[in-house]
Amino acid sequence: MKNKKLTVTIGIPVYNEEKNIIFLLESIFEQKEEGYKIEKILVISDGSSDNTVDVVCQLRNKKISIINGRKRIGKARRFNSLLKKNESDIFIQFDGDVVLKNENTIKNIIKPFLNDPSIAVVNGSVEPIFPVTFVERLSYFGFEIWQESKRVLGNKAERYRSIGQIRAFSREFTKHFYLPRETDHYEDI
């Protein structure tokens, strides 16, 4: 895949992200499509009770498809629905409250796929915005604990970790991957 221009589908499962989704989508539109082409941006609402769907529809961008799931069935099932729709070389999943750091974020996420066709999954790195409120500071504290754990543990900290906010998958991997629903873990109990 070294000199091939990869095709990319972006999937965004959302629940009540009317205040955040526009920032993510704008940061996607600002990406430099070098070495890849964004074919589709699929936004799937998991029964949002706010105006998330309307906010996305107002953008009127031909690459965006909005799927309005009217009933809450959970992020895992919505994610699986998005995977089934993937026909691109790479499927990138973003959470609705993420903003891409710069114009090369997607290029950096797909770089491993360009360099090694056997790569199946790439995780993005998340950096929270510096906290202002008390609740934000509490959340940021958890991030600092994880950062310190990574420093102390080195590669051991990354071994079994898959960041849920930013992930990229090869087409071959998406054909076989299934994210268990939350209840799948408890059916034997």
Side-chain angles (χ1 to χ4, degrees):
M1 279 197 238
K2 233 178 172 92
N3 292 320
K4 180 186 174 202
K5 192 168 196 168
L6 296 176
T7 56
V8 172
T9 291
I10 296 172
I12 309 168
V14 294
Y15 174 72
N16 288 351
E17 294 290 355
E18 72 176 318
K19 294 182 177 163
N20 301 314
I21 189 69
I22 192 76
F23 299 112
L24 169 58
L25 292 171
E26 287 174 349
S27 67
I28 290 170
F29 299 145
E30 293 170 358
Q31 295 297 294
K32 287 186 177 179
E33 293 186 42
E34 295 174 359
Y36 71 94
K37 178 180 180 5
I38 298 173
E39 292 184 309
K40 297 180 208 167
I41 302 169
L42 304 172
V43 179
I44 188 166
S45 172
D46 187 33
S48 294
S49 59
D50 67 357
N51 292 315
T52 300
V53 172
D54 294 334
V55 168
V56 174
C57 286
Q58 289 173 6
L59 289 174
R60 300 185 194 278
N61 184 297
K62 64 182 178 180
K63 288 187 180 184
I64 297 177
S65 294
I66 180 79
I67 303 160
N68 187 8
R70 299 190 188 281
K71 181 180 168 192
R72 263 310 313 255
I73 61 172
K75 182 179 177 180
R77 290 176 68 189
R78 296 298 182 190
F79 175 80
N80 289 335
S81 296
L82 291 170
L83 283 183
K84 287 179 187 175
K85 296 182 179 302
N86 181 50
E87 296 173 3
S88 298
D89 297 318
I90 306 295
F91 176 84
I92 301 175
Q93 178 256 315
F94 294 116
D95 278 3
D97 60 354
V98 171
V99 176
L100 306 185
K101 186 173 183 175
N102 60 49
E103 63 194 12
N104 293 312
T105 300
I106 292 177
K107 179 180 168 184
N108 292 333
I109 291 170
I110 68 160
K111 187 184 274 184
F113 296 104
L114 288 167
N115 294 333
D116 182 353
S118 70
I119 298 283
V121 180
V122 173
N123 294 307
S125 176
V126 178
E127 265 181 52
I129 297 171
F130 194 76
V132 176
T133 68
F134 176 72
V135 173
E136 289 171 350
R137 286 194 296 269
L138 286 175
S139 296
Y140 193 79
F141 179 68
F143 172 75
E144 288 178 320
I145 290 172
W146 177 247
Q147 292 300 98
E148 180 62 13
S149 299
K150 285 186 351 184
R151 188 189 67 72
V152 170
L153 295 172
N155 289 338
K156 293 177 189 174
E158 296 293 328
R159 190 173 202 175
Y160 300 106
R161 180 172 167 252
S162 176
I163 301 253
Q165 298 97 335
I166 302 173
R167 295 181 286 204
F169 305 89
S170 70
R171 177 176 31 215
E172 187 60 33
F173 187 78
T174 64
K175 290 179 189 176
H176 308 286
F177 184 70
Y178 162 80
L179 189 61
R181 298 181 318 209
E182 292 80 4
T183 57
D184 289 350
H185 301 289
Y186 304 106
E187 289 177 347
D188 294 335
I189 296 175

